[in-house]
Amino acid sequence: MLDYFKNKDVGLLLARIAIGFPMLFYGVGKVINGIEPIKEMVVQSHLPGFLAYGVYIGEVLAPLMMIAGIYARWAALVFAFNCLCALVIGQSSYLLKLNDFGGWAVELLVMYMLVGLSLFFTGGGKYSLSKK
């Protein structure tokens, strides 16, 4: 009976949805409200301000591509890189801190990043629009 539920492609689809869909909310929020706070953090990190526009790729385009399974490996890598940048530029002060509930303060961002990396290595599975 349990063999019926062993389907790695369904698992990969669920993983793509599980990280892509929630990240879209962050991206849409930036589309609606702008990226000035992101620009400020980027500039404070001594990087060119135009790099802040990459957040649209990492939080809107890459998640949409991952969910649909369009070049899922590369979209997942871009997504993971976006998470790493957010961790280094915006969340590094929380790396060794706990949240109000006793969990790691950056756990969600790190989980996004690691699942993105795992999708880079596995691919999107057979329930993807582009399959190789």
Side-chain angles (χ1 to χ4, degrees), residues 61-82:
L61 184 61
L64 285 171
M65 290 174 67
M66 280 191 316
I67 291 168
I70 301 170
Y71 297 106
R73 284 182 190 266
W74 298 109
L77 186 62
V78 168
F79 178 86
F81 181 73
N82 180 76

PDB file of all heavy atoms in Angstrom, residues 61-82:
ATOM      1  N   LEU A  61      10.089  36.133 -10.657  1.00  0.00           N
ATOM      2  CA  LEU A  61      10.305  35.316 -11.851  1.00  0.00           C
ATOM      3  C   LEU A  61      10.750  33.889 -11.506  1.00  0.00           C
ATOM      4  O   LEU A  61      10.164  32.918 -11.999  1.00  0.00           O
ATOM      5  CB  LEU A  61      11.319  35.987 -12.773  1.00  0.00           C
ATOM      6  CG  LEU A  61      11.580  35.285 -14.102  1.00  0.00           C
ATOM      7  CD1 LEU A  61      10.294  35.212 -14.920  1.00  0.00           C
ATOM      8  CD2 LEU A  61      12.669  36.008 -14.874  1.00  0.00           C
ATOM      9  N   ALA A  62      11.763  33.756 -10.674  1.00  0.00           N
ATOM     10  CA  ALA A  62      12.270  32.413 -10.337  1.00  0.00           C
ATOM     11  C   ALA A  62      11.199  31.549  -9.658  1.00  0.00           C
ATOM     12  O   ALA A  62      11.028  30.387 -10.034  1.00  0.00           O
ATOM     13  CB  ALA A  62      13.528  32.507  -9.481  1.00  0.00           C
ATOM     14  N   PRO A  63      10.445  32.075  -8.678  1.00  0.00           N
ATOM     15  CA  PRO A  63       9.390  31.246  -8.093  1.00  0.00           C
ATOM     16  C   PRO A  63       8.322  30.829  -9.095  1.00  0.00           C
ATOM     17  O   PRO A  63       7.858  29.684  -9.065  1.00  0.00           O
ATOM     18  CB  PRO A  63       8.796  32.125  -6.988  1.00  0.00           C
ATOM     19  CG  PRO A  63       9.895  33.038  -6.607  1.00  0.00           C
ATOM     20  CD  PRO A  63      10.635  33.309  -7.895  1.00  0.00           C
ATOM     21  N   LEU A  64       7.926  31.730  -9.987  1.00  0.00           N
ATOM     22  CA  LEU A  64       6.943  31.371 -11.009  1.00  0.00           C
ATOM     23  C   LEU A  64       7.481  30.261 -11.907  1.00  0.00           C
ATOM     24  O   LEU A  64       6.761  29.313 -12.236  1.00  0.00           O
ATOM     25  CB  LEU A  64       6.562  32.590 -11.853  1.00  0.00           C
ATOM     26  CG  LEU A  64       5.647  33.604 -11.191  1.00  0.00           C
ATOM     27  CD1 LEU A  64       5.530  34.864 -12.047  1.00  0.00           C
ATOM     28  CD2 LEU A  64       4.275  33.006 -10.915  1.00  0.00           C
ATOM     29  N   MET A  65       8.741  30.376 -12.278  1.00  0.00           N
ATOM     30  CA  MET A  65       9.350  29.357 -13.128  1.00  0.00           C
ATOM     31  C   MET A  65       9.466  28.024 -12.387  1.00  0.00           C
ATOM     32  O   MET A  65       9.242  26.973 -12.974  1.00  0.00           O
ATOM     33  CB  MET A  65      10.727  29.824 -13.609  1.00  0.00           C
ATOM     34  CG  MET A  65      10.662  30.960 -14.611  1.00  0.00           C
ATOM     35  SD  MET A  65      12.286  31.611 -15.049  1.00  0.00           S
ATOM     36  CE  MET A  65      12.974  30.218 -15.933  1.00  0.00           C
ATOM     37  N   MET A  66       9.803  28.081 -11.105  1.00  0.00           N
ATOM     38  CA  MET A  66       9.902  26.839 -10.329  1.00  0.00           C
ATOM     39  C   MET A  66       8.549  26.160 -10.207  1.00  0.00           C
ATOM     40  O   MET A  66       8.445  24.951 -10.395  1.00  0.00           O
ATOM     41  CB  MET A  66      10.450  27.122  -8.922  1.00  0.00           C
ATOM     42  CG  MET A  66      11.927  27.270  -8.878  1.00  0.00           C
ATOM     43  SD  MET A  66      12.588  27.285  -7.194  1.00  0.00           S
ATOM     44  CE  MET A  66      11.499  28.344  -6.325  1.00  0.00           C
ATOM     45  N   ILE A  67       7.534  26.920  -9.881  1.00  0.00           N
ATOM     46  CA  ILE A  67       6.192  26.345  -9.723  1.00  0.00           C
ATOM     47  C   ILE A  67       5.754  25.674 -11.023  1.00  0.00           C
ATOM     48  O   ILE A  67       5.264  24.547 -11.010  1.00  0.00           O
ATOM     49  CB  ILE A  67       5.181  27.421  -9.281  1.00  0.00           C
ATOM     50  CG1 ILE A  67       5.482  27.875  -7.856  1.00  0.00           C
ATOM     51  CG2 ILE A  67       3.754  26.888  -9.379  1.00  0.00           C
ATOM     52  CD1 ILE A  67       4.732  29.129  -7.438  1.00  0.00           C
ATOM     53  N   ALA A  68       5.954  26.370 -12.125  1.00  0.00           N
ATOM     54  CA  ALA A  68       5.546  25.826 -13.421  1.00  0.00           C
ATOM     55  C   ALA A  68       6.493  24.736 -13.911  1.00  0.00           C
ATOM     56  O   ALA A  68       6.123  23.937 -14.759  1.00  0.00           O
ATOM     57  CB  ALA A  68       5.472  26.947 -14.458  1.00  0.00           C
ATOM     58  N   GLY A  69       7.696  24.716 -13.374  1.00  0.00           N
ATOM     59  CA  GLY A  69       8.670  23.739 -13.834  1.00  0.00           C
ATOM     60  C   GLY A  69       9.301  24.135 -15.156  1.00  0.00           C
ATOM     61  O   GLY A  69       9.623  23.295 -15.979  1.00  0.00           O
ATOM     62  N   ILE A  70       9.492  25.419 -15.352  1.00  0.00           N
ATOM     63  CA  ILE A  70      10.150  25.930 -16.550  1.00  0.00           C
ATOM     64  C   ILE A  70      11.608  26.204 -16.181  1.00  0.00           C
ATOM     65  O   ILE A  70      11.879  27.077 -15.364  1.00  0.00           O
ATOM     66  CB  ILE A  70       9.473  27.218 -17.057  1.00  0.00           C
ATOM     67  CG1 ILE A  70       8.015  26.943 -17.383  1.00  0.00           C
ATOM     68  CG2 ILE A  70      10.228  27.789 -18.249  1.00  0.00           C
ATOM     69  CD1 ILE A  70       7.196  28.180 -17.665  1.00  0.00           C
ATOM     70  N   TYR A  71      12.519  25.409 -16.757  1.00  0.00           N
ATOM     71  CA  TYR A  71      13.926  25.485 -16.378  1.00  0.00           C
ATOM     72  C   TYR A  71      14.058  25.495 -14.856  1.00  0.00           C
ATOM     73  O   TYR A  71      14.720  26.355 -14.270  1.00  0.00           O
ATOM     74  CB  TYR A  71      14.616  26.699 -17.003  1.00  0.00           C
ATOM     75  CG  TYR A  71      14.631  26.643 -18.510  1.00  0.00           C
ATOM     76  CD1 TYR A  71      13.794  27.454 -19.259  1.00  0.00           C
ATOM     77  CD2 TYR A  71      15.463  25.753 -19.168  1.00  0.00           C
ATOM     78  CE1 TYR A  71      13.794  27.382 -20.649  1.00  0.00           C
ATOM     79  CE2 TYR A  71      15.473  25.669 -20.550  1.00  0.00           C
ATOM     80  CZ  TYR A  71      14.635  26.493 -21.280  1.00  0.00           C
ATOM     81  OH  TYR A  71      14.645  26.417 -22.643  1.00  0.00           O
ATOM     82  N   ALA A  72      13.410  24.537 -14.235  1.00  0.00           N
ATOM     83  CA  ALA A  72      13.292  24.494 -12.778  1.00  0.00           C
ATOM     84  C   ALA A  72      14.645  24.469 -12.079  1.00  0.00           C
ATOM     85  O   ALA A  72      14.806  25.092 -11.025  1.00  0.00           O
ATOM     86  CB  ALA A  72      12.447  23.292 -12.346  1.00  0.00           C
ATOM     87  N   ARG A  73      15.617  23.758 -12.635  1.00  0.00           N
ATOM     88  CA  ARG A  73      16.938  23.707 -12.000  1.00  0.00           C
ATOM     89  C   ARG A  73      17.551  25.096 -11.899  1.00  0.00           C
ATOM     90  O   ARG A  73      18.039  25.502 -10.854  1.00  0.00           O
ATOM     91  CB  ARG A  73      17.902  22.828 -12.804  1.00  0.00           C
ATOM     92  CG  ARG A  73      17.687  21.365 -12.667  1.00  0.00           C
ATOM     93  CD  ARG A  73      18.757  20.634 -13.499  1.00  0.00           C
ATOM     94  NE  ARG A  73      18.458  19.243 -13.590  1.00  0.00           N
ATOM     95  CZ  ARG A  73      18.947  18.335 -12.757  1.00  0.00           C
ATOM     96  NH1 ARG A  73      19.766  18.686 -11.800  1.00  0.00           N
ATOM     97  NH2 ARG A  73      18.630  17.055 -12.902  1.00  0.00           N
ATOM     98  N   TRP A  74      17.546  25.823 -13.007  1.00  0.00           N
ATOM     99  CA  TRP A  74      18.180  27.138 -13.024  1.00  0.00           C
ATOM    100  C   TRP A  74      17.370  28.153 -12.233  1.00  0.00           C
ATOM    101  O   TRP A  74      17.947  29.017 -11.559  1.00  0.00           O
ATOM    102  CB  TRP A  74      18.422  27.580 -14.454  1.00  0.00           C
ATOM    103  CG  TRP A  74      19.357  26.619 -15.116  1.00  0.00           C
ATOM    104  CD1 TRP A  74      19.050  25.713 -16.093  1.00  0.00           C
ATOM    105  CD2 TRP A  74      20.719  26.379 -14.781  1.00  0.00           C
ATOM    106  NE1 TRP A  74      20.153  24.950 -16.396  1.00  0.00           N
ATOM    107  CE2 TRP A  74      21.195  25.331 -15.601  1.00  0.00           C
ATOM    108  CE3 TRP A  74      21.604  26.952 -13.861  1.00  0.00           C
ATOM    109  CZ2 TRP A  74      22.499  24.863 -15.539  1.00  0.00           C
ATOM    110  CZ3 TRP A  74      22.902  26.478 -13.804  1.00  0.00           C
ATOM    111  CH2 TRP A  74      23.333  25.447 -14.623  1.00  0.00           C
ATOM    112  N   ALA A  75      16.056  28.050 -12.312  1.00  0.00           N
ATOM    113  CA  ALA A  75      15.213  28.935 -11.501  1.00  0.00           C
ATOM    114  C   ALA A  75      15.474  28.692 -10.018  1.00  0.00           C
ATOM    115  O   ALA A  75      15.546  29.638  -9.222  1.00  0.00           O
ATOM    116  CB  ALA A  75      13.741  28.708 -11.838  1.00  0.00           C
ATOM    117  N   ALA A  76      15.636  27.431  -9.641  1.00  0.00           N
ATOM    118  CA  ALA A  76      15.904  27.095  -8.238  1.00  0.00           C
ATOM    119  C   ALA A  76      17.264  27.620  -7.802  1.00  0.00           C
ATOM    120  O   ALA A  76      17.423  28.074  -6.660  1.00  0.00           O
ATOM    121  CB  ALA A  76      15.814  25.587  -8.037  1.00  0.00           C
ATOM    122  N   LEU A  77      18.249  27.582  -8.686  1.00  0.00           N
ATOM    123  CA  LEU A  77      19.569  28.109  -8.346  1.00  0.00           C
ATOM    124  C   LEU A  77      19.512  29.625  -8.157  1.00  0.00           C
ATOM    125  O   LEU A  77      20.095  30.161  -7.202  1.00  0.00           O
ATOM    126  CB  LEU A  77      20.585  27.734  -9.427  1.00  0.00           C
ATOM    127  CG  LEU A  77      22.033  28.093  -9.118  1.00  0.00           C
ATOM    128  CD1 LEU A  77      22.526  27.346  -7.882  1.00  0.00           C
ATOM    129  CD2 LEU A  77      22.921  27.778 -10.318  1.00  0.00           C
ATOM    130  N   VAL A  78      18.813  30.310  -9.033  1.00  0.00           N
ATOM    131  CA  VAL A  78      18.636  31.762  -8.892  1.00  0.00           C
ATOM    132  C   VAL A  78      17.896  32.068  -7.596  1.00  0.00           C
ATOM    133  O   VAL A  78      18.260  32.980  -6.844  1.00  0.00           O
ATOM    134  CB  VAL A  78      17.877  32.341 -10.116  1.00  0.00           C
ATOM    135  CG1 VAL A  78      17.422  33.762  -9.866  1.00  0.00           C
ATOM    136  CG2 VAL A  78      18.754  32.256 -11.358  1.00  0.00           C
ATOM    137  N   PHE A  79      16.864  31.295  -7.317  1.00  0.00           N
ATOM    138  CA  PHE A  79      16.087  31.436  -6.091  1.00  0.00           C
ATOM    139  C   PHE A  79      16.980  31.265  -4.858  1.00  0.00           C
ATOM    140  O   PHE A  79      16.943  32.071  -3.928  1.00  0.00           O
ATOM    141  CB  PHE A  79      14.965  30.391  -6.100  1.00  0.00           C
ATOM    142  CG  PHE A  79      14.103  30.381  -4.889  1.00  0.00           C
ATOM    143  CD1 PHE A  79      13.010  31.220  -4.794  1.00  0.00           C
ATOM    144  CD2 PHE A  79      14.360  29.504  -3.842  1.00  0.00           C
ATOM    145  CE1 PHE A  79      12.197  31.197  -3.672  1.00  0.00           C
ATOM    146  CE2 PHE A  79      13.557  29.480  -2.724  1.00  0.00           C
ATOM    147  CZ  PHE A  79      12.474  30.326  -2.641  1.00  0.00           C
ATOM    148  N   ALA A  80      17.802  30.208  -4.852  1.00  0.00           N
ATOM    149  CA  ALA A  80      18.693  29.944  -3.718  1.00  0.00           C
ATOM    150  C   ALA A  80      19.715  31.074  -3.560  1.00  0.00           C
ATOM    151  O   ALA A  80      20.012  31.503  -2.439  1.00  0.00           O
ATOM    152  CB  ALA A  80      19.391  28.602  -3.897  1.00  0.00           C
ATOM    153  N   PHE A  81      20.226  31.576  -4.676  1.00  0.00           N
ATOM    154  CA  PHE A  81      21.178  32.693  -4.623  1.00  0.00           C
ATOM    155  C   PHE A  81      20.505  33.938  -4.059  1.00  0.00           C
ATOM    156  O   PHE A  81      21.102  34.665  -3.263  1.00  0.00           O
ATOM    157  CB  PHE A  81      21.766  32.967  -6.014  1.00  0.00           C
ATOM    158  CG  PHE A  81      22.757  34.086  -6.026  1.00  0.00           C
ATOM    159  CD1 PHE A  81      24.014  33.903  -5.486  1.00  0.00           C
ATOM    160  CD2 PHE A  81      22.420  35.319  -6.574  1.00  0.00           C
ATOM    161  CE1 PHE A  81      24.942  34.943  -5.481  1.00  0.00           C
ATOM    162  CE2 PHE A  81      23.343  36.362  -6.578  1.00  0.00           C
ATOM    163  CZ  PHE A  81      24.601  36.177  -6.036  1.00  0.00           C
ATOM    164  N   ASN A  82      19.262  34.170  -4.452  1.00  0.00           N
ATOM    165  CA  ASN A  82      18.505  35.301  -3.919  1.00  0.00           C
ATOM    166  C   ASN A  82      18.372  35.169  -2.393  1.00  0.00           C
ATOM    167  O   ASN A  82      18.537  36.145  -1.663  1.00  0.00           O
ATOM    168  CB  ASN A  82      17.121  35.351  -4.568  1.00  0.00           C
ATOM    169  CG  ASN A  82      16.286  36.496  -4.058  1.00  0.00           C
ATOM    170  OD1 ASN A  82      16.499  37.633  -4.434  1.00  0.00           O
ATOM    171  ND2 ASN A  82      15.332  36.201  -3.180  1.00  0.00           N
TER     172      ASN A  82
END
